[in-house]
């Protein structure tokens, strides 16, 4: 029979994402609702290793639903990749009388959580929080929607100046291994071309496409480039290559960078975080473990941590086709 859960720990790990605070709030408030104690570990796995935590009651999380970042801070802990580091974390959880953990983060967080629970038999529930949206078992990760809105707003502004100066802009967006941000923001902002790691467009096709659009009368264009694009050049080299081959173009580069990770979460992300985290606490109290809560077809559903890590969920190729048609 599963051990009764009296005290739940929560942490945020990996790249932060807007909505993580809404998630922490939902964990703390759901615990309070079910008369279960809650503690928050600082800086993800690192806080577990150092025994750095804070008691969280319903009032500790007041007025944070609208705030970006994470009140628990975040980190990518190297120590947790060692057996000794994980042992220290387990000892600290015992000392703090924590029976189970809710891990809010991305694939690195879930990979660490999976090994940890195998080694130390501590129940874990994962909550997908990353702007990259690159987790299986959910249609959306916490922070992705806000990041998309940030990117689209930025590209709209870039378009104004691109159009005034008849320029071509290469806009690099985040997504180390995944093109979700690039693809969706590219369609949403009406980009000329979208370069993502999942599809190699090829340099020649890019040149052809830009040349064609110039001849068709377009005076300015936006190319959205995912940070992880595998075309073989970084965004600056790519721009240089295009200018060298298409001298009629006046091109500029904008790297949006960490602006995409900040800001007040969208309503979608707040609701998503709230729904996922109520479920995460309820699953633990129900004796379930080693699952990730996800959002599929407008329903909260759980899958195993293995499934969440199995493969990156596939990008929607239909969006590439739509982008091709609409950039005519
Ligand atoms: O994982 C989210 C993410 O924002 C990626 O898109 C990006 O490549 C990475 O984090 C950047 O990480 P850091 O802030 O540690 O440089």
């Amino acid at each position: 029979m599963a051990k009764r859960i009296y005290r739940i720990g929560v942490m945020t790990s990996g790249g932060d994402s807007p909505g993580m605070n809404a998630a922490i709030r939902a964990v703390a408030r759901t615990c309070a609702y079910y008369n279960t104690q809650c503690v928050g570990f600082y800086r993800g796995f690192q806080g577990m290793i150092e025994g750095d935590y804070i008691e969280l009651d319903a009032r500790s999380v007041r007025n944070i639903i609208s705030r970006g970042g994470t009140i628990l801070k975040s980190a990518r802990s190297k120590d947790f990749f060692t057996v000794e580091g994980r042992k220290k974390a387990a000892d600290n959880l015992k000392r703090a009388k924590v029976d189970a953990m809710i891990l809010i983060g991305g694939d690195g967080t879930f990979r660490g959580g999976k090994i940890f629970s195998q080694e130390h038999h501590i129940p874990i529930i994962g909550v997908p929080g990353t702007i990259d949206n690159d987790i299986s078992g959910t249609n959306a990760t916490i922070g992705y929607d806000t990041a998309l809105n940030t990117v689209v707003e930025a590209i709209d502004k870039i378009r104004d100046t691109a159009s005034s100066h008849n320029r071509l802009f290469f806009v690099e967006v985040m997504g180390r291994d995944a093109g979700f941000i690039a693809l969706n923001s590219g369609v949403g902002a009406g980009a000329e071309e979208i370069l993502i790691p999942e599809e190699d467009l090829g340099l020649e096709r890019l040149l052809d496409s830009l040349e064609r659009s110039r001849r068709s009368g377009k005076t300015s264009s936006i190319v959205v480039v995912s940070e992880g694009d595998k075309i073989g050049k970084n965004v600056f080299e790519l721009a240089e290559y295009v200018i060298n081959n298409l001298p009629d173009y006046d091109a500029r580069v904008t790297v949006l960078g960490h602006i995409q990770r900040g800001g007040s979460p969208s309503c979608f992300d707040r609701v998503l975080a709230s729904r996922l985290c109520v479920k995460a606490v309820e699953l633990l109290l129900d004796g379930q473990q080693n699952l990730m809560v996800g959002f599929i077809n407008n329903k909260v559903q759980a899958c195993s941590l293995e499934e969440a890590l199995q493969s990156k969920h596939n990008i929607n190729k239909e969006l590439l086709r739509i982008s091709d048609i609409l950039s005519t």
Side-chain angles (χ1 to χ4, degrees):
M1 213 177 98
K3 204 177 139 225
R4 227 192 114 188
I5 305 290
Y6 295 97
R7 199 159 149 88
I8 292 177
V10 58
M11 56 80 126
T12 47
S13 166
D16 62 347
S17 65
M20 279 184 164
N21 278 329
I24 296 165
R25 170 184 180 271
V27 170
R29 294 255 167 112
T30 311
C31 284
Y33 180 84
Y34 286 111
N35 292 319
T36 302
Q37 291 173 20
C38 182
V39 298
F41 284 85
Y42 286 111
R43 288 165 289 114
F45 292 125
Q46 202 54 37
M48 287 161 62
I49 291 172
E50 292 167 16
D52 189 8
Y53 66 91
I54 180 180
E55 303 288 329
L56 293 177
D57 64 19
R59 295 287 77 76
S60 339
V61 290
R62 58 158 67 102
N63 298 338
I64 64 167
I65 195 167
S66 59
R67 280 169 55 192
T70 155
I71 58 161
L72 293 177
K73 311 216 177 254
S74 193
R76 302 184 201 275
S77 170
K78 289 209 174 70
D79 298 342
F80 202 76
F81 285 99
T82 65
V83 175
E84 300 77 44
R86 292 192 293 273
K87 168 86 174 54
K88 270 191 200 161
D91 289 345
N92 280 328
L93 291 193
K94 260 184 219 123
R95 223 167 280 138
K97 295 194 167 30
V98 170
D99 303 308
M101 284 296 303
I102 292 179
L103 312 180
I104 305 167
D107 54 352
T109 307
F110 299 157
R111 219 165 282 126
K114 196 173 139 238
I115 304 173
F116 184 62
S117 78
Q118 279 162 358
E119 285 175 351
H120 299 284
H121 311 291
I122 292 170
I124 300 280
I125 299 287
V127 177
T130 163
I131 62 164
D132 289 355
N133 202 39
D134 57 346
I135 303 284
S136 291
T138 189
N139 296 147
T141 56
I142 298 166
Y144 172 57
D145 181 67
T146 308
L148 282 182
N149 287 317
T150 301
V151 171
V152 166
E153 196 185 327
I155 298 179
D156 287 349
K157 289 177 178 161
I158 291 169
R159 185 175 290 287
D160 289 344
T161 175
S163 147
S164 305
H165 287 268
N166 289 348
R167 277 177 174 159
L168 163 66
F169 267 82
F170 291 86
V171 182
E172 187 194 91
V173 300
M174 275 188 169
R176 200 174 6 216
D177 306 308
F180 291 98
I181 297 180
L183 188 52
N184 282 274
S185 66
V187 171
E192 180 64 36
E193 284 293 347
I194 304 169
L195 307 184
I196 56 174
E198 293 86 349
E199 280 285 309
D200 188 355
L201 173 70
L203 287 167
E204 289 319 303
R205 232 205 84 189
L206 175 65
L207 293 182
D208 281 354
S209 152
L210 290 171
E211 186 52 15
R212 237 180 303 119
S213 62
R214 196 186 59 81
R215 277 205 232 104
S216 78
K218 278 196 189 175
T219 51
S220 66
S221 289
I222 307 279
V223 176
V224 177
V225 185
S226 175
E227 172 191 26
D229 178 53
K230 306 276 185 320
I231 208 161
K233 296 183 183 295
N234 70 38
V235 69
F236 292 98
E237 290 168 350
L238 185 65
E240 203 179 307
Y241 178 85
V242 169
I243 297 164
N244 288 340
N245 285 277
L246 300 175
D248 287 338
Y249 269 112
D250 183 14
R252 294 290 185 274
V253 172
T254 301
V255 176
L256 292 185
H258 287 79
I259 191 176
Q260 295 160 90
R261 289 233 299 255
S264 179
S266 65
C267 181
F268 179 88
D269 278 329
R270 297 180 198 194
V271 175
L272 178 66
S274 304
R275 291 181 70 177
L276 294 183
C277 288
V278 168
K279 185 71 176 177
V281 173
E282 289 179 340
L283 284 171
L284 284 175
L285 296 180
D286 196 33
Q288 315 251 17
Q289 52 181 287
N290 303 340
L291 300 173
M292 184 199 79
V293 284
F295 193 61
I296 307 255
N297 298 333
N298 209 22
K299 282 206 179 76
V300 176
Q301 284 180 21
C303 68
S304 68
L305 281 179
E306 279 91 28
E307 279 171 85
L309 288 168
Q310 239 166 30
S311 60
K312 305 279 180 204
H313 78 194
N314 294 327
I315 55 136
N316 183 353
K317 294 229 169 111
E318 175 65 0
L319 282 179
L320 279 176
R321 195 179 75 85
I322 285 171
S323 167
D324 270 352
I325 293 174
L326 300 182
S327 59
T328 303

